[in-house]
């Protein structure tokens, strides 16, 4: 919406939409993985929701699930940043939007990567 309000062309609006989609997917998979690993004890779903880690866990051991989800998070974060790189917005705005990707995923990813044993 911000791109439309600012008068961005159709290509940039599509790129910002891609940015938002990939950032949202990255964050959601991270949130689900933290819950799956028991890192987010405040959640109430108690592994009953159908999430990517739950789907993967039907076929793979928990450590493989963790690694697969981390890859999905990294891939979507990278695609969000790539969408920004391809856009024609002002550098300071693009830099801030890129930093949001890292702010929303970095700390959680570090927690998930460093987990040695699963709950």
């Amino acid at each position: 919406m911000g791109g439309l309000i600012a008068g961005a062309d159709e290509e940039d609006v599509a790129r910002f939409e891609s940015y938002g989609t990939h950032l949202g997917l990255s964050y959601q998979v991270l949130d689900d993985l933290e819950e799956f690993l028991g890192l987010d004890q405040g959640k109430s779903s108690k592994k009953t929701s159908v999430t990517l880690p739950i789907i993967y866990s039907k076929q793979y051991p928990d450590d493989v699930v963790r690694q697969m989800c981390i890859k999905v998070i990294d891939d979507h974060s990278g695609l969000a940043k790539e969408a920004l790189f391809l856009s024609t917005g002002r550098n300071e705005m693009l830099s801030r939007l890129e930093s949001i990707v890292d702010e929303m995923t970095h700390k959680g990813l570090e927690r998930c990567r460093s987990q040695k044993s699963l709950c």
Side-chain angles (χ1 to χ4, degrees):
M1 292 305 299
L4 290 172
I5 292 169
D9 63 29
E10 286 183 34
E11 287 181 2
D12 273 347
V13 169
R15 289 177 183 124
F16 291 128
E17 180 180 355
S18 177
Y19 163 82
T21 297
H22 289 294
L23 175 58
L25 288 168
S26 179
Y27 179 79
Q28 186 60 57
V29 173
L30 174 59
D31 186 61
D32 294 340
L33 180 59
E34 287 178 322
E35 181 179 357
F36 178 80
L37 297 174
L39 297 173
D40 191 347
Q41 298 298 323
K43 293 287 186 167
S44 62
S45 67
K46 306 285 190 227
K47 297 186 182 182
T48 60
S49 301
V50 179
T51 64
L52 190 60
I54 297 295
I55 292 168
Y56 284 163
S57 73
K58 306 266 187 233
Q59 192 171 5
Y60 301 101
D62 287 353
D63 196 50
V64 174
V65 169
R66 180 171 54 92
Q67 292 305 320
M68 291 171 70
C69 288
I70 287 171
K71 181 175 180 347
V72 169
I73 295 162
D74 283 336
D75 288 349
H76 280 291
S77 294
L79 289 168
K81 290 178 180 183
E82 182 179 317
L84 291 175
F85 176 76
L86 296 172
S87 71
T88 59
R90 291 189 343 232
N91 285 341
E92 62 208 51
M93 182 236 357
L94 297 176
S95 177
R96 178 64 185 130
L97 290 172
E98 182 177 1
S99 72
I100 290 171
V101 176
D102 294 330
E103 290 169 18
M104 290 182 71
T105 60
H106 179 73
K107 184 177 179 182
L109 274 174
E110 289 305 310
R111 288 176 60 201
C112 291
R113 283 187 174 116
S114 68
Q115 178 141 356
K116 301 297 183 228
S117 62
L118 302 174
C119 298

